[in-house]
Amino acid sequence: MTQMWHLVPTLATKDLRLLYRDRVALFFVVGVPIVYGLFFGAISGSFRSGDARLKIAIVDEDRSEWSQRLIKILKEEYPKIRWRTGWDRAKALDAVRRGNVVAAIVLPKGFGDRAGIFFQEAPELQLAIDPSRGAESGFVRGILMEGMGKLAGQRMRDRQSMKRSLEDSIRAIESSSEMSLPARTALVAALRSFEKFFDELPEDAGGLEVSKDEGESQGPEFEFARIETLELTRQSKTDALGTPLSNVRTAWDISFPQATIWGILGCATTFAVSLVRERRQGSLVRLQVAPIRPATIVGGKALACFVAVVAVIAMMLVLGTALGMRPRRPELLLPGILATAFCFTGIMACVATIGRSEEAVSGAAWGANIVMAMFGGGMMPLAFLPSWMQIIGYVSPVRWAILVLEGAIWRDFSWSEAAVPLAVLSGVGLIALVLGSTILRLQLSGKR
Amino acid sequence: MLSVQHVWKSYGSVQAVCDISLELSPGEVLGLLGPNGAGKSTLLGLIAGLLVPDRGNVELPGGGSPRDPRARRSLGLAPQSLSLYEGLTARENLAFFARLYGLRGEQLRERVSACLALAGLESRRNDRVATFSGGMKRRLNLAAALVHDPPLLLLDEPTVGVDPQTRAHLFDQVERLRDEGKAIIYATHYMEEASRLCKRVAIVDHGRLLALDDVDRLIQAYGGHSQVTIVLRESPPESIALPGPWQDGTVKWETNTPLEDLMRLAQSGLEWEETTIRSPDLETVFLRLTGRSLRDAGASEETEDAREVEAGS
Ligand SMILES: Nc1ncnc2c1ncn2[C@@H]1O[C@H](COP(=O)(O)OP(=O)(O)O)[C@@H](O)[C@H]1O
Ligand SMILES: [Mg+2]
């Protein structure tokens, strides 16, 4: 036993040194995950910024000339915003809830009757804004006020409509029972004089100039629109596993756990092949003749594999952090790394038993790796994997390794959520290590 | 010190070692002579604990079985095929193997330098084995078996695929090790190597130990007579009594007294051109024992050697 404490590290050091000197193996273990992580992180990062245009839905429930004019004004003034029109209220509000649009503007019935007319009660607009997009809220209100100001300007120039509105107003006031007669008389008189003023207004007189920030600096004395805010709770968009995608802070959050898997698979395969290579190059004979037990030989390989996997994951985490990845649950990383390394060390021991030639072992191992990675989220991220693949993926250790890393990085796993992948990884590792090392020990002890 | 008692080993239907027994004492080089496939490597594998005998028993110096890891400390094996880490340097290889035997610190450094010197690789000690020639690898392969200074050495065809200088170097080393008191088993299919290095030789074929004795005594017992050949172009006169029949311009005969025979022929007035006297050697012994010549039996070995050289370069 005391012997093992010296010999296992001796054996492992030799293997790590050989790995370090083997350019090809080093490329698979270190180069591939870095390139993979950077490449996929970079392309999905650019997808996001390409999609950064603000999306606002407008629901026209009024379907009047003036509601359509407002929509036209907004579209013309803000061509960079992606305006969604033609949706009904429910669909638009749902889109806000899901985060598909930043805001929904609802123009309710009767909007056109009052919009842009000073003497009427300001028209009621309804606005629903994604609460998580606080920064955009003021901007949306601002452009809405500006649009309403422009609409008012248009309407003022539209004498016919203005006169008709005035007449409507006068009639409304005259027939109002809530106002006292003198008040009614005074208001009607005032409106009539306005009516005259519009009659005398020259054709080409400009409408109201509305400054850009009018919406926000809207004085209390005058409103183009009364905006009623519709309270919405943001129903966040979740991935296939139910984690809010808004948790993802950078593209590296997804690309790095995925890329790390390829380094881990590279490690496991390299060490499985190296055991077979020792057989081919004859060095295994010397290990077998030396005064050490077969279990020690297997232990040396296992330790080397374990250390290499830990190093690869650590390297990827350091690199990701340098690029801006910020694990939400850093305390889950250490157990995650250890369980993952343990699991793939066990898998390495099993893979090493499957063949007698390097070609056979590496061929079989990479075949298995690709299948494990495909269903486990090593190729397409777990977050977007179709459900049938997710189900098959349950048997892939790759899935659990990615899950535990993602749990720490962006899925914000609690300890109890992390317990499942940690237990699966440790359990698979234990079974595989016992199975693999038992077979290897038998193979090594000459009982062929 | 080494004792092999009635060991058997088969691979499926191939009986690789049948009932072989031998003993070895310190300061002795025992030749294990046999053609390719005779079972030499299998026997060494049984002694080294790489294989488990189907029957029989091996006792290492110190009394342990080769299946016991601690007992294996007393033996060093230079396998037939090169057994080195190509990615490590000569020094790193030796240091790694030394550590497996528990050597540390100053003791380790001393043994590693001694073995590098023995292999004549001091100037290349920090070069990777991958850059070595076949001969250099062979020398390192032997040195790696010696790094823990074991009393028993198993050398399996240590000269396969090496150049003549390396061969001579290896012979010197083996003789030196013997003089230091090591017990050595030297497996080879080269009769010349066995007779040069070994006092005693075990002749094996098809897994069987055909004979085990001093080289001289084997030749006495199985070598038979010397073979004399003279070239005689013209038909010899009737008057002279030839020791053998005249055929194709030569006369061949076997005798225990070759020089006397030739002297008598010369005195009788016979004149001839060339004389060849072939004294009995291990080759003849092998021929007697198996009905085949060692060279023919090992014919396929030559191609294997060629492969070895290629692989080693
Ligand atoms: N691993 C093995 N599996 C099956 N047969 C083997 C194996 N190793 C050796 N043999 C057979 O055992 C016999 C003895 O081989 P070996 O001990 O290598 O002979 P040698 O070393 O004298 O050339 C040969 O017939 C060989 O083919
Ligand atoms: Mg052999």
Side-chain angles (χ1 to χ4, degrees), chain B residues 36-37 40-42 80 156-157 301 304:
Chain B
N36 183 32
K40 306 182 293 294
S41 297
T42 304
Q80 177 174 3
D156 198 351
E157 314 232 12
E301 186 88 3
E304 202 167 272

Side-chain angles (χ1 to χ4, degrees), chain A residues 21 278 281 286 291-292 445, chain B residues 67 69 82-83 85 92 141:
Chain A
R21 289 186 185 167
E278 295 228 27
Q281 76 188 2
R286 286 203 197 274
I292 58 180
S445 63
Chain B
R67 304 299 296 164
L82 291 168
S83 312
Y85 293 103
E92 286 167 343
N141 197 48

Side-chain angles (χ1 to χ4, degrees), chain A residues 59-210:
Chain A
V59 181
D60 182 4
E61 288 183 341
D62 192 38
R63 295 183 193 278
S64 64
E65 186 195 349
W66 293 101
S67 65
Q68 285 301 312
R69 280 208 196 186
L70 176 64
I71 293 172
K72 191 162 168 265
I73 290 169
L74 290 171
K75 281 185 171 174
E76 279 169 2
E77 289 292 313
Y78 297 97
K80 282 194 176 155
I81 292 174
R82 284 178 63 180
W83 297 98
R84 301 282 186 183
T85 50
W87 289 352
D88 64 13
R89 172 187 292 261
K91 188 167 180 197
L93 296 187
D94 201 45
V96 178
R97 266 188 218 105
R98 291 172 179 276
N100 291 340
V101 296
V102 170
I105 298 165
V106 182
L107 311 180
K109 268 215 170 335
F111 168 84
D113 294 341
R114 295 189 300 265
I117 301 174
F118 299 122
F119 325 103
Q120 296 271 5
E121 201 181 336
E124 198 167 78
L125 287 180
Q126 291 171 322
L127 177 64
I129 293 192
D130 180 347
S132 70
R133 310 286 291 267
E136 281 97 349
S137 147
F139 174 70
V140 173
R141 283 171 194 278
I143 62 175
L144 199 49
M145 280 301 172
E146 189 184 337
M148 287 301 289
K150 286 225 153 58
L151 189 70
Q154 284 189 8
R155 202 154 195 179
M156 274 166 83
R157 272 172 287 162
D158 187 339
R159 297 174 198 191
Q160 290 307 320
S161 112
M162 204 40 109
K163 274 174 88 175
R164 217 183 309 124
S165 309
L166 273 171
E167 273 150 26
D168 286 352
S169 305
I170 291 166
R171 233 174 292 127
I173 293 166
E174 282 172 342
S175 62
S176 168
S177 55
E178 283 161 47
M179 272 190 224
S180 62
L181 184 67
R184 269 187 285 169
T185 319
L187 257 179
V188 169
L191 290 176
R192 293 251 181 250
S193 66
F194 262 110
E195 205 173 3
K196 235 183 223 149
F197 164 75
F198 278 115
D199 283 341
E200 284 159 17
L201 205 66
E203 283 289 335
D204 59 343
L208 276 173
E209 270 306 314
V210 182

Side-chain angles (χ1 to χ4, degrees), chain B residues 3-239:
Chain B
S3 157
V4 176
Q5 282 144 21
H6 304 288
V7 295
W8 296 71
K9 178 72 189 174
S10 63
Y11 298 107
S13 62
V14 180
Q15 195 65 52
V17 167
C18 312
D19 194 24
I20 292 188
S21 301
L22 51 86
E23 309 259 326
L24 186 60
S25 24
E28 185 188 357
V29 184
L30 172 69
L32 194 56
L33 182 66
N36 183 32
K40 306 182 293 294
S41 297
T42 304
L43 180 60
L44 294 185
L46 290 167
I47 297 173
L50 289 170
L51 302 168
V52 190
D54 300 334
R55 267 190 276 166
N57 191 34
V58 176
E59 203 174 281
L60 292 178
S65 148
R67 304 299 296 164
D68 172 8
R70 271 164 308 173
R72 288 202 296 265
R73 203 171 285 275
S74 66
L75 72 87
L77 169 69
Q80 177 174 3
S81 52
L82 291 168
S83 312
L84 301 163
Y85 293 103
E86 300 246 320
L88 299 182
T89 66
R91 196 189 51 74
E92 286 167 343
N93 265 286
L94 293 176
F96 170 70
F97 293 124
R99 273 192 205 99
L100 293 185
Y101 287 86
L103 269 63
R104 297 283 183 278
E106 191 51 40
Q107 196 192 10
L108 179 138
R109 270 191 295 279
E110 254 170 41
R111 284 304 304 162
V112 168
S113 337
C115 289
L116 281 169
L118 183 140
L121 288 171
E122 289 131 309
S123 60
R124 299 290 304 269
R125 66 178 177 280
N126 289 324
D127 292 342
R128 291 194 200 170
V129 171
T131 66
F132 285 6
S133 72
M136 291 161 77
K137 287 180 187 172
R138 268 290 150 202
R139 296 192 319 251
L140 188 61
N141 197 48
L142 173 63
L146 298 169
V147 75
H148 57 293
D149 202 18
L152 171 62
L153 277 174
L154 309 175
L155 311 184
D156 198 351
E157 314 232 12
T159 59
V160 164
V162 304
D163 52 287
Q165 290 98 307
T166 296
R167 187 179 293 239
H169 175 91
L170 287 170
F171 287 171
D172 291 346
Q173 298 306 332
V174 170
E175 281 169 347
R176 229 195 58 208
L177 290 163
R178 176 198 62 199
D179 296 343
E180 282 173 14
K182 308 261 183 237
I184 300 170
I185 298 188
Y186 190 104
T188 182
H189 65 277
Y190 295 118
M191 177 275 291
E192 305 84 0
E193 294 187 0
S195 38
R196 153 135 191 220
L197 292 169
C198 313
K199 187 159 168 287
R200 279 200 309 156
V201 167
I203 296 179
V204 286
D205 192 29
H206 297 303
R208 295 186 181 280
L209 181 61
L210 301 179
L212 171 58
D213 210 336
D214 286 3
V215 176
D216 300 344
R217 275 194 268 168
L218 283 175
I219 292 171
Q220 237 170 41
Y222 303 100
H225 312 291
S226 297
Q227 203 177 58
V228 187
T229 310
I230 54 174
V231 176
L232 201 61
R233 298 229 184 278
E234 281 157 33
S235 165
E238 297 273 326
S239 57

